Amino acid sequence: MSGDFKCIPITKRSRALHRADFGCLKGVYAVNITLGCSFSCVYCYARGYELAPPKGTVYLYHNLPLLLQREGRHLPIGTPVIINTSSDCFQPHPDILKTTHDTLAVLLHRGFQVGILTKGIVPEGFKGLFSRYARQIQFTIGVVSLNEDYCRLFEPYAPLGTNRLASAERLKSWGINVRARLDPLIPFFSDTEENIKSLLVGLKECGVQEIVLSYLQLRPRILENFQRELPPQISKLIFSCFPKKQWETTGSKTLSKMIPRSLRLKGYARIQKIAQELGLKTIICRCKNPDLGLRGSCLPTELKTKKHKRFFQKRLFG
Ligand code: SF4
């Protein structure tokens, strides 16, 4: 993993808490510690955002803890807040980690329920804070493979999958509930029997009991990244899994393409069978699979807002 990126502190002038307006997160407050992410995953949709800094540069919102102290006063205890919708708060830079620690301290101290999704490693220095507020933290590690070649190719500057599992194990020992998100699954690369078996066995061994699944959704900017950053034979093979010519807006505001339904169903069934044998619970992400008629949201219960709960109850019970 390279720590070779520029971290530039900037002052956030807009609100620190904004409501996410997409997919399963719709309506939930979200916070990002940085603009841009040094992990530079090839499939990252946030790299295509208009304001995203160039690769190798990250802007750090150094005043987030102060802003949140002010804004947090107006929200009730138990308010769900999601960290990392378009960046990663555990990028290996001392200033980012300090701001992350201070930001989480404000949110947890206010009694909020905090959901964190990361591919980063949580340093030992978070032990005190996390152990104290363990019941308010819902942690998800993003991991699709323990294979080093895979990680280097698709997530070039993120910690290796094996290191993420070690981090998850440490979090469990601090009393934190940890889930895993297998997203994006990429046909031929991360959805193979061999890859899934070794990953799920590793997750089981470190105490994870629930996994969320989702196949890759292609977007125009992700396609460009694939063309630029992957060997041509690999990107061609991946593109062959998206036979539709037209881009669509199914299930999101953004233009995207999905892998054909039948292939996704087969892939999910294969993974679910392995997970079931290991006693792991699986959830298929509804918002990334709008054509599968799924119900409910893949968020942990503690992070569902009242609005969410009402919406999903209505869907479930008519
Ligand atoms: S870790 Fe997340 S935010 Fe960072 S580059 Fe990868 S997908 Fe994007």
Side-chain angles (χ1 to χ4, degrees):
M1 181 173 59
S2 161
D4 194 16
F5 62 96
K6 255 192 291 179
C7 173
I8 303 172
I10 57 167
T11 302
K12 192 166 178 64
R13 309 247 174 239
S14 55
R15 287 179 63 84
L17 287 164
H18 64 274
R19 284 189 192 269
D21 70 344
F22 50 87
C24 299
L25 299 181
K26 202 174 172 86
V28 184
Y29 284 110
V31 171
N32 284 287
I33 308 290
T34 61
L35 177 61
C37 177
S38 64
F39 291 159
S40 300
C41 304
V42 181
Y43 51 73
C44 178
Y45 60 82
R47 290 177 59 192
Y49 287 176
E50 209 176 308
L51 292 176
K55 199 174 168 185
T57 300
V58 164
Y59 295 121
L60 168 65
Y61 298 124
H62 67 91
N63 60 329
L64 266 187
L66 261 177
L67 286 179
L68 286 169
Q69 288 220 5
R70 274 206 302 265
E71 291 174 27
R73 274 188 218 130
H74 309 292
L75 296 172
I77 288 175
T79 299
V81 179
I82 304 278
I83 314 290
N84 297 340
T85 51
S86 59
S87 62
D88 200 304
C89 65
F90 290 108
Q91 296 167 68
H93 188 288
D95 297 346
I96 296 176
L97 293 171
K98 176 161 188 334
T99 305
T100 295
H101 187 282
D102 295 352
T103 299
L104 293 176
V106 172
L107 296 172
L108 292 167
H109 189 61
R110 288 235 160 258
F112 296 162
Q113 284 290 337
V114 178
I116 306 170
L117 167 65
T118 183
K119 294 191 177 84
I121 304 300
V122 182
E124 197 61 34
F126 283 69
K127 183 177 177 182
L129 179 71
F130 277 23
S131 309
R132 183 166 171 206
Y133 294 105
R135 287 168 68 179
Q136 286 166 242
I137 301 172
Q138 305 304 320
F139 210 96
T140 306
I141 54 163
V143 61
V144 283
S145 179
L146 302 183
N147 180 290
E148 188 168 343
D149 293 337
Y150 174 90
C151 294
R152 297 276 177 240
L153 188 64
F154 289 97
E155 303 156 349
Y157 304 116
L160 294 175
T162 44
N163 296 340
R164 291 178 223 169
L165 257 53
S167 181
E169 199 166 4
R170 199 165 54 236
L171 287 161
K172 292 285 296 180
S173 76
W174 297 349
I176 311 279
N177 183 30
V178 184
R179 311 195 305 167
R181 188 169 177 98
L182 281 60
D183 178 18
L185 289 158
I186 300 181
F188 304 115
F189 293 92
S190 51
D191 74 340
T192 62
E193 184 113 3
E194 190 193 351
N195 181 66
I196 293 296
K197 261 192 186 152
S198 70
L199 175 61
L200 297 198
V201 167
L203 287 167
K204 166 99 182 165
E205 280 172 3
C206 70
V208 169
Q209 291 171 344
E210 188 173 280
I211 57 173
V212 180
L213 309 173
S214 185
Y215 268 101
L216 172 71
Q217 260 191 359
L218 202 58
R219 296 184 184 185
R221 290 303 292 269
I222 297 177
L223 181 140
E224 282 170 31
N225 288 347
F226 277 22
Q227 282 171 329
R228 203 174 39 241
E229 296 172 13
L230 292 177
Q233 69 276 22
I234 291 185
S235 51
K236 266 191 201 151
L237 184 57
I238 297 172
F239 296 158
S240 72
C241 303
F242 296 87
K244 272 198 181 170
K245 288 227 161 29
Q246 307 293 68
W247 294 98
E248 290 172 332
T249 49
T250 341
S252 78
K253 289 183 200 155
T254 329
L255 289 174
S256 64
K257 282 187 198 183
M258 288 188 291
I259 291 165
R261 189 176 184 271
S262 59
L263 288 184
R264 269 179 291 136
L265 284 173
K266 262 191 211 156
Y268 291 139
R270 203 172 52 239
I271 299 169
Q272 281 174 316
K273 187 168 174 280
I274 301 170
Q276 203 176 14
E277 283 163 10
L278 291 166
L280 296 171
K281 184 181 171 197
T282 53
I283 298 169
I284 298 172
C285 179
R286 186 184 59 92
C287 64
K288 295 254 187 98
N289 297 275
D291 55 344
L292 298 191
L294 299 166
R295 292 175 164 195
S297 141
C298 57
L299 280 180
T301 316
E302 295 78 356
L303 298 176
K304 288 174 189 163
T305 60
K306 278 191 193 147
K307 218 167 127 194
H308 250 97
K309 285 177 190 156
R310 274 203 304 274
F311 174 72
F312 288 115
Q313 261 164 13
K314 230 170 140 188
R315 281 180 69 103
L316 284 170
F317 304 114

